[in-house]
Amino acid sequence: MRAPTRTQLLLGLAAFVVVAGGGGALLLGRLHTPQRAIGPLPAAALRLPSDVRYVAGIDLESLSRSPLRSRIGAALPFPPDALERLRAETGLDLHRDLTHLLFAGEDPRNATSSLVAVLLRPGHAPIGPWLRAQPLRRYSHEGATIFILATKPIPQVATLLGPDLLVIGFPDPVEHAAAEIRRSSAPLGENQVLLALLEGLRADAPLWLAYELRPRARPDGLSEDVARAVAQL
């Protein structure tokens, strides 16, 4: 068998570098979690599913001195003594460590397909061990623990998408979020339409909504051309 020429060796080496480099870039892309916020969306919220059509948020730190902040704190579904026990047992103070409330799903008018996400301050006391110590029924889905919060009058479950992101909702969207985070470390980072909308919002907006409106979902009375123009906003 004839020995390869110098040109053949160089071509083979170049092909190897291209293939190895492409594979390495793909692997790094799967392992790397984006560390920067997108407009008003915190980087941790990129763990939300990739196929949502809207995402909205309330920046509680921006509202820390407003009446709305105290109203949201008072509306948390915990009696005052439970919050005190949580703080005493874990050091987690929801009034201090809860930084954002986020909402995501197919349609902001449809609660059954939407998620409510609670984002905690980086470096907070871990909430996962505390949740697992509670007398809550639970089951496993895609390697994630799904906590059953209620079954009547409507089913409601929760799961952690990371140490600082708890999502709550109906079983189907919560299970889908658990499957997405197993597939990718930052699923929402793949949704280029929503990312472009978020980039156009003020980073310090206390209340915000990014919503992809599809022409086929146009309200009655709008022509297709007008609906398409609205969808491009």
Side-chain angles (χ1 to χ4, degrees), residues 2-148:
R2 190 176 61 178
T5 66
R6 184 171 181 271
T7 301
Q8 289 173 327
L9 286 174
L10 288 175
L11 288 175
L13 179 61
F16 173 78
V17 169
V18 169
V19 172
L26 179 61
L27 179 60
L28 288 175
R30 290 297 302 274
L31 296 179
H32 177 64
T33 302
Q35 297 298 315
R36 72 178 185 93
I38 309 295
L41 183 80
L46 291 170
R47 301 191 194 108
L48 292 171
S50 62
D51 53 356
V52 297
R53 296 298 171 196
Y54 86 92
V55 60
I58 303 174
D59 185 338
L60 299 178
E61 291 185 313
S62 294
L63 297 173
S64 59
R65 289 177 295 278
S66 75
L68 182 58
R69 176 65 171 94
S70 59
R71 290 180 185 177
I72 292 174
L76 291 172
F78 305 102
D81 59 334
L83 293 180
E84 283 301 316
R85 288 199 307 272
L86 174 64
R87 185 184 60 79
E89 293 173 8
T90 68
L92 183 66
D93 184 342
L94 291 185
H95 291 290
R96 178 196 65 207
D97 296 323
L98 179 59
T99 64
H100 294 78
L101 285 179
L102 304 168
F103 310 88
E106 179 71 22
D107 187 329
R109 298 165 297 182
N110 184 358
T112 62
S113 64
S114 294
L115 293 167
V116 178
V118 175
L119 183 61
L120 300 173
R121 187 186 308 279
H124 65 83
I127 194 173
W130 181 82
L131 265 176
R132 294 182 181 91
Q134 302 310 301
L136 295 171
R137 288 186 294 163
R138 65 202 69 182
Y139 61 95
S140 180
H141 180 78
E142 294 285 345
T145 301
I146 310 292
F147 299 94
I148 301 174

Side-chain angles (χ1 to χ4, degrees), residues 172-225:
D172 284 349
V174 170
E175 290 175 3
H176 176 61
E180 281 274 277
I181 199 64
R182 185 175 177 85
R183 178 187 64 81
S184 168
S185 60
L188 188 56
E190 302 167 7
N191 190 323
Q192 297 303 314
V193 173
L194 277 184
L195 292 190
L197 294 174
L198 288 164
E199 288 278 14
L201 299 178
R202 282 176 40 194
D204 61 346
L207 304 168
W208 50 270
L209 166 69
Y211 183 19
E212 179 193 0
L213 179 63
R214 290 183 165 182
R216 70 167 182 267
R218 64 183 185 273
D220 292 339
L222 283 184
S223 69
E224 185 171 344
D225 290 339

